[in-house]
Amino acid sequence: MSIVYTCRHCGHVIGEINETMVDTNVLGWNKLTNEEKKEMIHYNSNGDVHIQAICENCEESLGHHPEYHELDYFIQ
């Protein structure tokens, strides 16, 4: 099982965790609302989990251009 963190804006793989057992509370998933979990966490049939997050570069772009927060994707 892998947990793959990918940027929701540019698609860059931020990081990957390859463990057979992971405490999701340590990852902070317990702090997400149910709606945030539905938006961010996707389960594959092979057991892998894909998390949509924001990479540092896109976070910086959002800081410089706050109007980008209105868009689902601003880098293509």
Side-chain angles (χ1 to χ4, degrees):
M1 175 182 110
S2 294
I3 300 175
V4 181
Y5 287 83
T6 306
C7 180
R8 70 174 57 231
H9 297 290
C10 69
H12 175 75
V13 175
I14 300 166
E16 187 172 340
I17 300 171
N18 292 305
E19 296 290 331
T20 54
M21 296 203 47
V22 177
D23 183 352
T24 57
N25 289 333
V26 172
L27 298 177
W29 294 8
N30 60 320
K31 297 180 181 181
L32 298 173
T33 66
N34 286 335
E35 187 169 318
E36 290 169 331
K37 288 177 187 176
K38 287 179 187 176
E39 286 181 21
M40 297 175 63
I41 302 172
H42 305 279
Y43 299 90
N44 287 354
S45 59
N46 67 355
D48 288 352
V49 181
H50 288 264
I51 310 294
Q52 290 190 340
I54 301 175
C55 71
E56 290 179 5
N57 291 333
C58 290
E59 182 67 31
E60 183 177 338
S61 293
L62 287 166
H64 292 299
H65 304 282
E67 67 275 12
Y68 288 175
H69 282 281
E70 298 172 6
L71 308 173
D72 289 333
Y73 303 96
F74 60 88
I75 297 176
Q76 296 185 359

